[in-house]
């Protein structure tokens, strides 16, 4: 995934576990007002799973490049937007 500076995902959930690796740039991921994490190039983290809504935004000075893998079921969505 390549996210230009300022790009923000919609608020969403993941029905399965996943892992992300930030190869370039910087991401701010917000789960709640008191649970915000910043990940920089070289960082990896477990993505939330289940009913935990969150979003991430590219906040660095260059586009964020992120590799993500999910342990999902073929044919099922990896991300579910919250309306």
């Amino acid at each position: 995934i390549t996210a230009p500076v300022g790009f923000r995902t919609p608020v969403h959930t993941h029905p399965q576990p996943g892992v992300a690796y930030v190869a370039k740039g910087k991401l701010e991921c917000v789960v709640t007002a008191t649970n915000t994490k910043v990940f920089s190039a070289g960082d990896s983290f477990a993505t939330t799973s289940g009913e935990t809504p969150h979003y991430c935004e590219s906040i660095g000075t260059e586009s964020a490049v992120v590799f993500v893998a999910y342990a999902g079921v073929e044919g099922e969505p990896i991300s579910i937007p919250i309306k």
Side-chain angles (χ1 to χ4, degrees):
I1 299 168
T2 300
V5 175
F7 173 80
R8 180 180 142 173
T9 66
V11 177
H12 62 282
T13 62
H14 299 288
Q16 69 286 310
V19 63
Y21 172 75
V22 181
K24 181 178 168 185
K26 188 182 283 189
L27 287 179
E28 178 181 55
C29 297
V30 178
V31 179
T32 66
T34 59
N35 187 3
T36 299
K37 304 208 186 266
V38 174
F39 302 100
S40 299
D43 291 341
S44 59
F45 59 95
T47 63
T48 59
S49 68
E51 299 297 319
T52 307
H54 63 281
Y55 70 86
C56 293
E57 183 173 354
S58 177
I59 63 167
T61 58
E62 61 184 343
S63 293
V65 176
V66 184
F67 294 92
V68 184
Y70 292 100
V73 176
E74 189 173 339
E76 293 295 320
I78 58 172
S79 181
I80 300 172
I82 300 297
K83 297 181 183 199

